[in-house]
Amino acid sequence: MLRFVAGRDDLLNSRFALSPVTELENLLRKLSGRKRAALPPAWSARLTPAFQRLRAETALDAVLALQSERYGAAFVVQPPASMAQTIDDDLAALRSTPLAQARKEIADCLARRPATDPKVLAVLEDRHVATIMADAMEAAWHELVAPDWPTLRAVLERDVVHRGGLLSTGGWQAAFAGLHKRLAWRDGGLELSRFVDATYELDGAGLLLVPAVFVWPNIGAYTDPPWPKALVYPARGTAALWDPGPATPPDALASLLGRSRARLLVSLSDAASTTQLATSLGMATGAVGDHLAVLRNAGLVTRARSGRSVLYRRTPLGDALAGGTP
């Protein structure tokens, strides 16, 4: 069992952040078979041809060689700094990795899962290994993740909004409660079952919480220096991405409100911004704003500012009309 021991300062300093490169790395694990939970067939069929081409044309196999089911090189996928993290930030961090740190983590990974391909070993032994890997990851990002990133980001942001609401009403214990079935808050510490048997003091630095789509259904952790302690957990709403169809409102609700407004109301089971709703439902942002104004005037949704975003939520009347439809 993994245990993070938290004090008062740790709860104050814990925070959420988004990580584009985490999505890429976990997607690569699924496409390569490193994760037991495969992609849905439609996603696999769409992405596998590009993935195989990238393996032939770039040094992506060297990246894959450092992955095992429960371990990977943290210098390739470094913990993010904030909610505003971009793939350019991630790749810049990878390229600037000290060679000694890269060498250490490569050795640790190969001790767990040896590599024998001469081309892979040539990359891993190159003094410019971090730059070579960053170039391969950049190509993979643009081919495999970038087209879907707006939708993925909307899911991640909605998860953070949801966790933030739990945090404001019930504290960190409430926010952690539904993070993952193997995670529990006990006696001033966060415990993760079926993981490495170790205890780590957070020492006032707090815990970094990183929602992710492609990590589902697993959960990951950063524990080794020099990286900050972090948890990578499955974001709420991931299952909706695997469903090829949009949220479908009941026919009676669609007849009453119109299908577009009914879809919006059904989709607001969690708070969301106009942009997030437009991205996830494939609607124009302006049209979403107009429909939300009508729903708000009818008392079915309410809005409140959260940082730079305006978030919409269903009212109790909106919940009753939506009928608990997910």
Side-chain angles (χ1 to χ4, degrees):
M1 179 182 66
L2 175 65
R3 176 175 170 84
F4 291 111
V5 180
R8 183 183 63 181
D9 289 343
D10 294 306
L11 296 180
L12 292 174
N13 292 324
S14 293
R15 66 195 190 282
F16 293 93
L18 301 188
S19 174
V21 76
T22 292
E23 295 299 349
L24 173 59
E25 195 257 1
N26 279 287
L27 176 59
L28 293 176
R29 285 175 176 271
K30 288 182 179 291
L31 289 170
S32 65
R34 299 288 191 274
K35 279 186 176 292
R36 294 179 183 175
L39 287 170
W43 283 70
S44 181
R46 176 165 61 91
L47 297 177
T48 296
F51 171 68
Q52 296 296 351
R53 178 169 49 78
L54 286 162
R55 292 186 66 179
E57 297 176 355
T58 73
L60 195 58
D61 276 358
V63 177
L64 300 176
L66 301 184
Q67 297 177 344
S68 59
E69 186 176 353
R70 295 190 177 185
Y71 195 82
F75 81 91
V76 179
V77 190
Q78 298 181 26
S82 70
M83 290 291 295
Q85 189 87 358
T86 67
I87 190 63
D88 290 336
D89 297 329
D90 292 325
L91 295 174
L94 170 53
R95 288 188 172 100
S96 64
T97 303
L99 182 59
Q101 181 67 34
R103 290 264 187 260
K104 176 183 181 299
E105 294 192 22
I106 289 170
D108 289 343
C109 291
L110 295 182
R112 289 174 167 81
R113 186 172 177 271
T116 58
D117 186 330
K119 292 182 179 179
V120 167
L121 292 174
V123 172
L124 297 180
E125 293 167 2
D126 195 296
R127 62 188 303 267
H128 301 294
V129 59
T131 298
I132 296 171
M133 286 190 165
D135 291 343
M137 294 287 276
E138 184 172 19
W141 169 266
H142 289 295
E143 290 273 357
L144 301 175
V145 181
D148 295 308
W149 179 239
T151 300
L152 298 174
R153 186 180 181 92
V155 171
L156 303 178
E157 289 177 339
R158 290 187 74 173
D159 176 272
V160 173
V161 169
H162 173 75
R163 304 291 171 195
L166 294 176
L167 178 62
S168 65
T169 56
W172 280 108
Q173 185 169 1
F176 286 136
L179 214 64
H180 196 273
K181 61 184 179 182
R182 288 163 46 200
L183 199 65
W185 178 267
R186 293 191 184 91
D187 301 325
L190 195 62
E191 296 178 351
L192 180 58
S193 63
R194 302 208 314 259
F195 216 82
V196 62
D197 189 13
T199 298
Y200 295 93
E201 299 281 346
L202 295 178
D203 294 327
L207 190 65
L208 185 64
L209 298 169
V210 184
V213 169
F214 293 119
V215 75
W216 181 91
N218 299 317
I219 186 169
Y222 287 84
T223 58
D224 296 332
W227 316 114
K229 304 296 188 297
L231 283 176
V232 181
Y233 66 91
R236 282 170 53 93
T238 294
L241 288 176
W242 307 153
D243 184 352
T248 303
D251 289 340
L253 185 62
S255 298
L256 177 65
L257 300 177
R259 189 156 298 277
S260 294
R261 290 171 191 162
R263 285 179 65 203
L264 283 169
L265 192 64
V266 167
S267 296
L268 281 171
S269 54
D270 290 329
S273 69
T274 301
T275 302
Q276 291 165 358
L277 289 166
T279 300
S280 62
L281 295 176
M283 299 171 63
T285 304
V288 170
D290 292 342
H291 289 315
L292 287 172
V294 173
L295 294 174
R296 183 167 172 259
N297 289 336
L300 301 181
V301 302
T302 186
R303 68 180 185 182
R305 181 164 293 279
S306 176
R308 297 181 180 180
S309 299
V310 175
L311 301 178
Y312 289 83
R313 291 177 171 84
R314 288 197 307 234
T315 62
L317 177 58
D319 284 338
L321 275 179
T325 305

